[in-house]
């Protein structure tokens, strides 16, 4: 059992060196490995060049216990991870039958001809533990070689994450042993900025060592990751719970959930709890809010649908908004947002409606500047409407409006 | 003048190894350097540990001509970039007066006491070209050391980008010389897999050296980047054009645009060209397709809006789909998708409608398995409906349906 595991992540792919994508695989893997107390000492990115991939692999073999390689397992001549490790290790390769069957079945299902290079993706090192890829073709592998553990994962993030979750992390748990339990919990906040949150919690953050407290600003709010180490699961949970209580005590009014919780999921939970159905009317956000709501699994018991009334005549003829409202108050107005929320609820025969109207740009509309957004909530006779000014380009403004609408609806339903 | 510059980017910071942030600095720098024809051969991330930073620097000195270091220039004990390079180079350090004045002025303005460690940020290598940091405190530096060019930049992306733009890229232009022009163009394809595309182009890709041809699979299709080097802008353009013609000649039926083009943008372009307006009816995709269409700037002249008919009764009462269709054929059927496309067009008074219905999961619906998707297009009396089977989780299926719908609509409008 290795206690202090030195890990290294090697990403193979010229697209990373050209800056076409960021190495988010290394970020995600590092985050997860940190939860198991694994020390990642190096990230390396190398292009699709056999000599340079070999050099990176050789260096990793010298200095690290656990080497995780992402990418270079695909079907093309550019995919050189197998070849490089074979040159380093002199291990022979065999065809992995379950993977080959999967590849063949995929092409049969698509009624497409399998080109010969696809066969390459089923090739694995002899003696490797092979992890069947349910999200793609090339399987993952775990190879023990001269006292090092080598993990090979596909570069496509979705495939990499699925294989790591199912196979790599259970293995890592074994590597680090069961004597030390690492537990972590992510607390999620909305409606408060990072610096204000850190200011409110400054003394707690500075005094705290176990669990550690790491705030992080994300696109959809602020999260705080608590990570506790202990000899027992129970004690680790208690350490987290104690700190969590302190934090919630200070900034609980911005807290909405933890770990896998999403704000849209919480909105749906509240609707289910209150047995209320929702309909959505969107203009500026053009379907994005409805799309986010309907991403929640099990949403159909409380979500009916919506109307995207982008053009004014759709507001008038499909949403039945009066011509007076549209011409006297304007399509970008409190009155229009309220009518959208109320009318979409009536039209779809449900108690709760939310409406969005505003100016995403590039040009102002009806004399209202780019960034103006009205969001209205209608709920069984009660209503609320707010005006916001968002900054950024067209799609930043739209996304901020969606997030703000989710926050307002969450707070409305919770209160 | 160095012609073939081997570059390497070393990021210093434990936050990267903990996965708190992705190494977007390396991505951005690589993207920019690629435009100057600089080959970046390695990205390295190392934590705030003096020995390991020194090892990374030593390795970079051995193998690269241009070494760009980001991060580790801040005021705290964790910021070790200066110390590590000093140990490697034995260069002495001096205080940079303009930077020191800037730091002092900052604290005076904030009416805050400057802690002594802030002085560290003004320390620079003797003989270095020092780049004053207008967005922060620690200046950037360019140091020539034993035939290598070392660049030191702060880790904060805003500061790094400002210094790189103002000082690094002009320097890079000198390094590569003015005689060589680098031009690149990205060609975008939809409806073809990466392996099939590469198979079709194999001989061209293998024979080609100028421009280079780099295919890359992305979530929304396959792109090919062509990069040409030449002594004149005209000749670089001609080289790209010649190879582009060869490629389009083979796989042109999958080609939809280049560089900043998006598929949804191309759909809107075609609608504008044909002077046809569009309405969208979504069930499985729940607003995502409408949201994507409305992300295009200038969409309002041809896009009216849509109806998200998630619940069956919305299909019946808002979209006016007959009870016969819904009960006899089912809500997951060709007939329902067609009625959605046709009725949403009629309802919104436009010629073109697109409809999506299917099963995103987790459970099957009306005996139809998860992944079943029907997409219908209605266009002034003509119609088309296709059935697809997508794999993956709920949101993968939804996103694939959106992309396929965009592809079908693009092909329909183009033909």
């Amino acid at each position: 059992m290795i206690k202090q595991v030195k890990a290294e992540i090697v990403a193979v792919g010229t697209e990373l060196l050209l800056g076409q994508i960021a190495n988010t695989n290394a970020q995600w893997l590092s985050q997860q490995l940190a939860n198991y107390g694994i020390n990642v000492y190096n990230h390396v990115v190398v292009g699709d060049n056999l000599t340079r991939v070999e050099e990176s692999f050789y260096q990793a073999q010298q200095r690290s216990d656990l080497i995780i390689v992402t990418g270079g397992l695909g079907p093309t001549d550019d995919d050189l991870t197998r070849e490089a490790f074979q040159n380093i290790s002199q291990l022979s390769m065999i065809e992995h039958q379950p993977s080959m069957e999967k590849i063949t079945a995929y092409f049969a299902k698509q009624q497409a001809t399998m080109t010969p290079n696809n066969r390459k993706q089923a090739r694995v090192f002899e003696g490797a533990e092979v992890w069947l890829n349910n999200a793609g073709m090339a399987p993952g592998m775990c190879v023990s070689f001269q006292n090092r553990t080598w993990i090979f994962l596909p570069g496509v993030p979705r495939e990499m994450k699925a294989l790591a979750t199912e196979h790599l992390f259970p293995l890592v748990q074994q590597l680090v042993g069961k004597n030390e339990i690492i537990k972590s919990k992510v607390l999620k906040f909305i409606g408060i900025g990072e610096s204000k949150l850190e200011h409110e919690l400054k003394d707690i953050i500075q005094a705290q060592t176990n669990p550690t407290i790491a705030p992080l600003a994300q696109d959809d709010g602020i999260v705080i990751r608590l990570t506790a180490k202990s000899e027992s699961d129970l004690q680790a949970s208690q350490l987290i719970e104690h700190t969590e209580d302190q934090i919630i005590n200070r900034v609980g009014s911005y807290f909405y959930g933890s770990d896998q919780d999403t704000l849209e999921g919480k909105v749906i939970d509240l609707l289910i709890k209150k047995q209320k159905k929702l309909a959505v009317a969107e203009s500026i956000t053009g379907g994005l809010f409805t799309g986010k709501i309907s991403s929640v699994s099990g949403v159909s018991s409380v979500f009916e649908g919506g109307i995207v009334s982008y053009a004014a005549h759709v507001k008038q003829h499909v949403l039945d908004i009066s011509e007076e409202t549209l011409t006297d108050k304007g399509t970008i107005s409190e009155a229009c947002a309220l009518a959208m929320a109320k009318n979409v609820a009536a039209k779809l025969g449900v108690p709760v409606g939310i409406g969005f109207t505003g100016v995403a740009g590039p040009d102002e509309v009806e004399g209202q500047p780019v960034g103006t957004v009205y969001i209205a909530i209608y709920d069984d006779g009660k209503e609320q409407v707010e005006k916001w000014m968002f900054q950024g380009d067209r799609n930043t403004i739209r996304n901020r409006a969606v997030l703000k609408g989710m926050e307002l609806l969450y707070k409305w339903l919770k209160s």
Side-chain angles (χ1 to χ4, degrees), chain A:
Chain A
M1 242 191 293
I2 308 167
K3 274 288 171 187
Q4 274 292 29
V5 180
K6 268 195 202 176
E8 166 160 3
I9 301 172
V10 182
V12 181
T14 301
E15 67 276 16
L16 290 154
L17 295 180
L18 288 171
Q20 293 177 322
I21 52 172
N23 193 4
T24 53
N25 282 345
Q27 181 193 13
W28 186 82
L29 283 166
S30 296
Q31 237 172 24
Q32 305 298 315
L33 292 170
N35 291 340
Y36 292 95
I38 297 268
N39 298 306
V40 177
Y41 280 177
N42 299 90
H43 292 176
V44 167
V45 177
V46 63
D48 302 317
N49 171 291
L50 191 59
T51 309
R52 285 194 288 275
V53 177
E54 283 175 21
E55 280 168 7
S56 297
F57 286 3
Y58 180 79
Q59 182 181 43
Q61 174 75 23
Q62 302 308 307
R63 67 182 177 188
S64 304
D65 304 307
L66 172 67
I67 300 123
I68 303 175
V69 182
T70 60
L73 297 176
T76 76
D77 291 344
D78 272 359
D79 293 299
L80 296 167
T81 293
R82 285 184 195 82
E83 289 74 1
F85 189 68
Q86 199 179 12
N87 291 351
I88 293 284
S89 68
Q90 304 299 325
L91 289 172
S92 54
M93 301 206 76
I94 53 170
E95 192 167 281
H96 184 240
Q97 277 318 306
S99 292
M100 199 55 228
E101 283 160 20
K102 205 164 172 306
I103 295 169
T104 315
Y106 172 85
F107 282 98
K109 196 171 171 189
Q110 302 289 315
Q111 298 185 308
T113 316
M114 188 184 88
T115 52
N117 53 4
N118 278 289
R119 216 176 179 94
K120 185 176 153 184
Q121 297 189 85
R123 291 183 67 75
V124 300
F125 294 103
E126 204 165 7
E129 187 183 318
V130 182
W131 301 336
L132 196 64
N133 183 345
N134 290 314
M137 294 195 192
M141 284 176 271
C142 172
V143 182
S144 289
F145 174 65
Q146 291 182 356
N147 216 23
R148 307 304 192 205
T149 303
W150 284 79
I151 309 291
F152 298 93
L153 296 171
V156 177
R158 196 165 32 86
E159 302 177 21
M160 183 280 294
K161 287 182 186 178
L163 285 171
T165 305
E166 194 179 344
H167 300 285
L168 172 60
F169 301 143
L171 181 100
V172 162
Q173 180 67 68
Q174 285 179 354
L175 278 179
V176 295
K178 307 229 162 166
N179 290 339
E180 189 168 65
I181 299 285
I182 312 263
K183 265 192 115 95
S184 85
K185 184 168 186 176
V186 173
L187 309 180
K188 300 187 173 183
F189 301 84
I190 188 76
I192 183 171
E194 188 182 17
S195 60
K196 186 172 180 201
L197 186 97
E198 288 199 33
H199 182 75
E200 296 281 335
L201 300 175
K202 196 169 183 175
D203 55 321
I204 302 179
I205 293 174
Q206 284 180 347
Q208 198 62 46
T209 55
N210 190 19
T212 55
I213 304 177
L216 184 67
Q218 299 193 316
D219 277 347
D220 56 351
I222 310 290
V223 303
I224 295 179
R225 178 181 291 269
L226 305 178
T227 308
K229 297 187 182 191
S230 173
E231 286 182 8
S232 81
D233 192 86
L234 178 69
Q235 204 184 12
S237 296
Q238 285 170 341
L239 286 167
I240 285 180
E241 205 176 305
H242 176 73
T243 303
E244 183 181 350
D245 287 348
Q246 283 185 292
I247 292 172
I248 300 296
N249 197 32
R250 292 268 180 92
V251 288
S253 58
Y254 306 101
F255 173 78
Y256 70 84
S258 54
D259 296 327
Q260 301 311 310
D261 290 340
T262 61
L263 192 54
E264 54 272 22
K266 286 288 167 175
V267 164
I268 298 302
D269 286 351
L270 286 170
L271 287 167
I272 290 172
K273 196 174 141 200
K274 297 196 157 188
Q275 294 187 291
K276 282 189 171 180
K277 293 192 176 192
L278 171 72
V280 182
E282 299 185 72
S283 182
I284 182 173
T285 47
L288 293 178
F289 186 87
T290 319
K292 197 152 208 173
I293 282 285
S294 61
S295 71
V296 180
S297 183
V299 71
S300 56
S301 65
V302 290
F303 170 67
E304 296 286 294
I307 291 170
V308 179
S309 54
Y310 209 72
H313 86 89
V314 179
K315 293 184 181 76
Q316 191 179 348
H317 298 296
V318 183
L319 267 179
D320 302 330
I321 298 179
S322 72
E323 214 182 321
E324 289 73 30
T325 300
L326 294 175
T327 52
D328 294 358
K329 309 284 185 176
T331 60
I332 317 295
S333 67
E334 281 199 3
C336 185
L338 268 175
M340 288 172 72
K342 194 169 172 178
N343 293 13
V344 79
K347 196 93 195 166
L348 272 64
V350 300
V352 185
I354 184 167
F356 297 80
T357 185
V359 188
D363 303 314
E364 59 169 43
V365 176
E366 297 172 5
Q368 304 250 37
V370 171
T372 311
V373 178
Y374 293 91
I375 306 174
I377 295 171
Y378 175 85
D379 182 358
D380 248 343
K382 282 174 289 182
E383 54 190 39
Q384 170 191 308
V385 61
E386 292 201 3
K387 179 185 180 178
W388 294 87
M389 287 298 306
F390 296 112
Q391 287 177 35
D393 64 11
R394 178 177 175 82
N395 286 311
T396 305
I397 291 168
R398 283 157 42 95
N399 287 322
R400 289 189 176 169
V402 167
L403 184 63
K404 182 53 75 177
M406 206 65 81
E407 178 191 339
L408 295 176
L409 187 54
Y410 173 72
K411 287 185 176 160
W412 175 273
L413 293 167
K414 210 178 120 190
S415 66

